[in-house]
Amino acid sequence: MTQQAKIAIITGGNRGLGRDSALRLAEGGVDVIITYRSNEAEACEVVRAAEAMGRTASACRLDTSRVADIDRFADEVRALLKRHWDCDSFDFLVNNAGTGSNAPFAETTVDAFDEMVNVHFKGVYFLTQTLLPMLSDGGRIINISTGLTRFTSQGKSAYASVKGAVEVLTRYLAQELGPRGITVNTVAPGPVATDFSGGVVRDSEQLRETLGSHTALGRVGVPEDIGGVVAALLSGPTGWVTGQRIEASGGMLL
């Protein structure tokens, strides 16, 4: 009897780190459900790429900042699990969806702060809580954080602070979900050349060179650097690692 493939849910899987994580997992034989907030065309391209590798893949719209939408998304996941896999559980959750903020502390507005909390912390907290009954015993969760919780950068106080909250949540989840054999870890990227925050790192050669000069490996990251770490933690023999913050920054500011 053929063993059923593992199934991963990756939020914000239509672009950047989420896209590469989804495709790295698909390469390794994992089926994927990705979410997107607005760009359905991008999401469909990722689904087609995963399917071309022989995997089963789906894309669902989800704005993680809107807690009121999470129950609807969970119902959609249940229907997809039944339709495509004839099961009622999945194996891996990657809380990746996010957006940037760039304003000095003294100029950060309440609305901008609330957006960071809603997307990066409240959404992660309650999405994970809602999906937890469907997560298989022995499953794995990865929360995407940032190197900016260890080192600082001008204008990132709100973004980095809520990511710090996610790192604390990771440890609590690891403790509480341990009896089910579920591991929970944080992956904290350094600067990566993607379209995040309007592509500020990707589109500025001078900024890339400056940031890269502060890393042991001499460059900023690319999505493949992070997707590989996520895939290794989820599908590799890493089940004894839990409650940890794994920084993938090329050795930034050592």
Side-chain angles (χ1 to χ4, degrees), residues 190-196 198-223 225 249 252:
V192 184
T194 70
D195 58 357
F196 190 75
V200 60
V201 175
R202 178 197 62 196
D203 297 339
S204 172
E205 182 178 358
Q206 181 178 0
L207 181 58
R208 290 196 307 275
E209 289 180 354
T210 299
L211 294 172
S213 71
H214 295 301
T215 70
L217 296 180
R219 63 172 176 83
V220 300
V222 294
D225 294 321
S249 67
M252 184 79 176

Side-chain angles (χ1 to χ4, degrees), residues 225-243:
D225 294 321
I226 311 305
V229 174
V230 170
L233 281 171
L234 291 180
S235 53
T238 53
W240 198 237
V241 178
T242 194

Side-chain angles (χ1 to χ4, degrees), residues 84-145:
H84 294 305
W85 294 277
D86 194 25
C87 70
D88 57 7
S89 63
F90 67 97
D91 303 281
F92 309 136
L93 173 62
V94 182
N95 285 306
N96 165 78
T99 186
S101 175
N102 189 38
F105 171 78
E107 299 173 15
T108 298
T109 65
V110 172
D111 286 345
F113 182 85
D114 285 347
E115 181 182 24
M116 291 297 97
V117 172
N118 290 339
V119 172
H120 293 287
F121 186 55
K122 188 175 181 180
V124 169
Y125 194 107
F126 288 105
L127 177 63
T128 304
Q129 182 189 80
T130 301
L131 295 179
L132 192 58
M134 285 185 275
L135 182 62
S136 299
D137 290 351
R140 301 182 187 184
I141 299 172
I142 290 180
N143 297 322
I144 301 298
S145 181

Side-chain angles (χ1 to χ4, degrees), residues 3 13 24-25 33 39 48 60 65 70 73 93 97 103 113 119 127 133 146 154 176 179 216 218 247:
Q3 185 177 7
R24 288 296 186 98
L25 286 165
I33 299 171
N39 198 321
R48 286 192 294 270
C60 303
S65 71
I70 291 176
F73 171 69
L93 173 62
F113 182 85
V119 172
L127 177 63
T146 175
Q154 180 69 23
E176 292 196 23
E247 183 172 309

